[in-house]
Amino acid sequence: MNYRTEKVAYVQSVAPTVETQASQQRTTAEYRALDAAHHIHPFSDMGSLNRAGSRVIVKAKGAYLWDSDGNTIIDGMAGLWCVNVGYGRKELIDAAHRQMMQLPYYNTFFRTSHPPVIELSALLAELTPAPFNHFFYCNSGSEGNDTVLRLVHQYWAAQNQIDKKYVISRKNGYHGSTIAGGTLGGMGYMHEQMPSRVENIVHIDQPFYFGEAEDGMTAEEFGVARAQQLEAKILELGAGNVAAFIGEPFQGAGGVIFPPSTYWPEIQRICRKHDILLVADEVIGGFGRTGEWFSHQHFGFEPDLITLAKGLTSGYIPMGAVGLHDRVAKAVIEKGDFNHGLTYSGHPVAAAVAVANLKLLRDEKIVERVKTDTGPYFHKKLREAFSNHPIVGEIDGVGLVAGLQLAQDPQTRRRFANGGEIGTACRDFCVNGNLIARATGDRMVLSPPLVVTKQEIDEIVSKLKQAVDATSHQFMSS
Ligand code: PXG
C-alpha cells in the first residue's frame, strides 16, 4: 500500500462517510478521530490534544453553546472575546445571505468600491470618536496591526521624517500571531518560535500593578512609573528615531490587566511631547466591552490609530480594520500611493455583516446596557463571590470583562509558584462544569457576550465560584 491508499483506508476506517457533506452528523468519537487525523489547532500541543480529543461544538444560541455530546455550555468568553451580540442573530445571518446573493465578492483595489464597504465606513465614522473618519480593512486583528506598521511608516514618510522607525510596545501585550503581530506582542514564548522578527520593535514593561509593583508603591505611583519607562526608552533611542507606541488600553490575552488610572494620561503626554504616534489596539476592547464603544474612551485618551477586529462583526465572519485619526488620514492621503492591501480588504459579505452587527449594537443600546446595567451587576456579583476568597488576589476589569487573580496570599500579593498549573486546573474545573472561561497563567478571565442577561451572569459567577473553590481545595489542602 502506498501512502495515499493507506491514508484513504485510515480515513474510511474512522469515518466511512468522509466524502459526504461537512454538516453531516457524526458521533463524538468519529469527529475526534478525524480532527486528530487532519487538523492542526492554533496555539496547541497537538500530541496531548489528540490523545485527549477535542471538544466539538455543534451549535450556539445567545450565550450558550452545545457540544456533540449534547452538553449545554455557557460561554463566558464570547467565543474568543468576539461574539458581542451573542450567537444566532438573524439580522447578521440575513445580511450575509442577502449580500451573497447580490454581490458575494468584489475587490476594492483598482479604483472600485461597493455599497457594503461604503456604508460600513460611514457607520464607523459615526460610531467612533469624532476625529476618526477613515478606515482601512483587512481580515483579522493581526493583519490590522501589520497595517498599523505600514500606516505609521507612511505617516512619517509624509512628514519627511524617515528616521522615525522604532515602534515601542509592551511585554505581555498581545497584538496577534503574524510575524509583525507576534513581534509587536510581548509574549516571549511566541518570539522564541519565530524564524525572524520585524525590525525596530522594542518592548517596555507592562503596567501590571498586582504582579509587578514594589511593596509600598501605590497603584497611581506605579502607573506613572511604568508610563515613564516609555519616556526613558524614547530618550535612549532618540525621539527622532521613534515612530509610535502601541498598547491595548487594557491587556486582554495577557490576563485582563487594567492599568492604574494614571497610566494612559502619562503615556499620552509623553507621546505628544516627543511627537510619537499613539496606537490603541482595540481588537478586544472595541465595540462595547468596557461599556464604552471603545476602551480608550474608558481611559480617557485620544489615540492616532485604532486597530479593530473581533466585535466589528461579532465574530460571525472574519474582518479587521484600522481607524485613522484625521491628522494621520490627511498625511496618508496626501502622500499618494499606499502599497498595501489584501484580496479581501473590505470584503462585501463581511462588510454587510459588520453593518448589521453595528446597527444592532447601536439600535438595541447594547453598549449602554453594559455600562449602566449588566456591567455593574457582573462586577457586583464577582465582588460578592470573590472579595474575601482565600485564593483570589484581585478582581480587575469593568463592563463585561474581568480578570480574577489567583494568589497564594491575596493580602501580600504573593503569587503561587506554580500559578500556570493552578490556572489551568481552575479552567478545567470550569469546563467540566460547563462554563467556558479562560486562564492566562494564574489569572482567570471572563468576557461574556454583551447581551448576557442577569440570570446568565448569575450562572457564570456561580460556576466560576465552584471552580475556584475546587481549585482552592485541591491546591491549598495539598
Ligand atoms: N490584538 C489584540 C489586542 C488581540 O487580542 C489580536 C490583536 C489579533 O487578532 P486576530 O484576529 O489576528 O487573532 C488579538 C487577538 C486568547 C486569544 O486566547 C486572544 C486573541 C486571539 C486568540 C486567542 O486570549 N486576541
Side-chain angles (χ1 to χ4, degrees):
M1 244 190 333
N2 67 22
Y3 170 70
R4 179 76 208 160
T5 47
E6 228 175 77
K7 185 173 151 185
V8 169
Y10 170 73
V11 167
Q12 283 173 349
S13 72
V14 289
T17 52
V18 72
E19 300 295 334
T20 59
Q21 275 188 6
S23 61
Q24 163 129 16
Q25 292 275 323
R26 301 178 192 275
T27 65
T28 299
E30 287 168 346
Y31 279 130
R32 284 186 174 157
L34 280 175
D35 196 56
H38 302 297
H39 180 194
I40 304 289
H41 291 236
F43 281 90
S44 301
D45 171 348
M46 288 312 303
S48 75
L49 173 58
N50 289 346
R51 282 189 296 280
S54 48
R55 182 184 278 251
V56 181
I57 303 297
V58 293
K59 65 173 184 173
K61 184 85 189 157
Y64 288 93
L65 305 164
W66 283 266
D67 70 14
S68 52
D69 289 330
N71 293 306
T72 307
I73 306 156
I74 189 152
D75 186 1
M77 281 304 297
L80 274 180
W81 325 75
C82 55
V83 188
N84 289 13
V85 297
Y87 298 95
R89 287 303 303 252
K90 198 167 176 306
E91 295 82 346
L92 277 66
I93 300 158
D94 289 347
H97 181 251
R98 267 197 312 273
Q99 189 56 45
M100 286 226 184
M101 298 296 284
Q102 177 79 23
L103 177 71
Y105 175 74
Y106 203 71
N107 69 73
T108 52
F109 288 47
F110 314 129
R111 297 173 178 250
T112 52
S113 199
H114 49 68
V117 80
I118 294 167
E119 295 299 340
L120 175 58
S121 304
L123 187 54
L124 280 171
E126 177 195 314
L127 297 172
T128 50
F132 289 89
N133 292 295
H134 294 83
F135 301 88
F136 182 96
Y137 298 97
C138 50
N139 305 289
S140 66
S142 301
E143 288 176 359
N145 285 325
D146 277 49
T147 301
V148 160
L149 291 185
R150 308 291 301 275
L151 286 166
V152 163
H153 186 70
Q154 188 79 342
Y155 174 83
W156 289 116
Q159 320 291 319
N160 288 319
Q161 294 208 52
I162 49 165
D163 289 337
K164 277 187 163 290
K165 286 201 190 87
Y166 279 100
V167 176
I168 302 174
S169 172
R170 300 171 311 172
K171 294 175 192 162
N172 199 35
Y174 190 80
H175 298 293
S177 197
T178 53
I179 301 289
T183 310
L184 280 171
M187 307 295 187
Y189 58 90
M190 289 177 71
H191 294 169
E192 278 162 26
Q193 288 189 344
M194 286 185 184
S196 61
R197 300 194 208 153
V198 173
E199 290 173 89
N200 304 320
I201 292 174
V202 294
H203 297 84
I204 58 172
D205 287 329
Q206 57 176 331
F208 180 24
Y209 178 75
F210 188 94
E212 298 185 358
E214 283 164 27
D215 286 345
M217 207 175 202
T218 66
E220 290 69 28
E221 287 163 355
F222 178 75
V224 172
R226 282 290 150 110
Q228 287 178 350
Q229 277 198 12
L230 174 62
E231 186 150 41
K233 186 57 84 180
I234 291 168
L235 295 175
E236 178 193 322
L237 297 168
N241 299 318
V242 181
F245 171 75
I246 182 168
E248 305 152 81
F250 67 88
Q251 290 156 257
V256 182
I257 295 168
F258 273 59
S261 60
T262 47
Y263 181 76
W264 281 111
E266 183 65 3
I267 290 280
Q268 173 162 287
R269 185 190 69 76
I270 293 165
C271 287
R272 298 281 174 267
K273 178 175 163 198
H274 296 287
D275 201 15
I276 309 291
L277 291 176
L278 174 51
V279 185
D281 183 336
E282 290 278 5
V283 167
I284 283 180
F287 305 106
R289 186 57 53 203
T290 61
E292 301 290 343
W293 272 87
F294 298 92
S295 58
H296 71 266
Q297 296 171 302
H298 169 77
F299 293 101
F301 69 98
E302 188 181 285
D304 298 298
L305 291 148
I306 49 177
T307 319
L308 309 170
K310 295 194 190 267
L312 172 60
T313 55
S314 281
Y316 279 52
I317 199 160
M319 184 174 234
V322 178
L324 290 73
H325 190 289
D326 285 342
R327 68 173 157 262
V328 178
K330 182 167 176 289
V332 168
I333 291 164
E334 282 172 6
K335 175 84 178 80
D337 272 345
F338 181 45
N339 299 320
H340 173 62
L342 303 146
T343 305
Y344 301 129
S345 285
H347 191 286
V349 180
V353 171
V355 168
N357 172 61
L358 298 179
K359 285 184 174 166
L360 272 190
L361 285 171
R362 179 190 66 188
D363 299 343
E364 295 189 351
K365 304 208 180 320
I366 292 170
V367 181
E368 287 85 334
R369 202 173 346 128
V370 173
K371 184 174 174 120
T372 60
D373 191 17
T374 45
Y377 183 80
F378 179 52
H379 280 273
K380 175 169 148 288
K381 287 283 154 186
L382 286 171
R383 258 153 249 289
E384 281 169 18
F386 296 109
S387 279
N388 296 310
H389 197 284
I391 62 160
V392 175
E394 73 168 351
I395 305 157
D396 212 350
V398 72
L400 286 175
V401 63
L404 206 76
Q405 176 72 51
L406 303 179
Q408 174 103 44
D409 182 2
Q411 306 311 324
T412 60
R413 290 193 275 126
R414 190 154 63 88
R415 293 162 78 181
F416 289 105
N418 55 342
E421 195 190 318
I422 290 172
T424 304
C426 187
R427 194 264 326 271
D428 290 345
F429 281 125
C430 291
V431 172
N432 291 338
N434 288 330
L435 163 68
I436 301 282
R438 176 133 156 48
T440 76
D442 55 4
R443 284 172 87 85
M444 299 306 299
V445 310
L446 287 172
S447 154
L450 303 186
V451 294
V452 73
T453 63
K454 289 184 177 167
Q455 202 182 348
E456 289 160 352
I457 288 173
D458 290 346
E459 182 181 342
I460 290 171
V461 174
S462 109
K463 286 186 162 165
L464 182 63
K465 175 83 167 45
Q466 284 172 27
V468 176
D469 286 349
T471 309
S472 172
H473 191 255
Q474 181 176 328
F475 287 91
M476 298 299 268
S477 55
S478 62

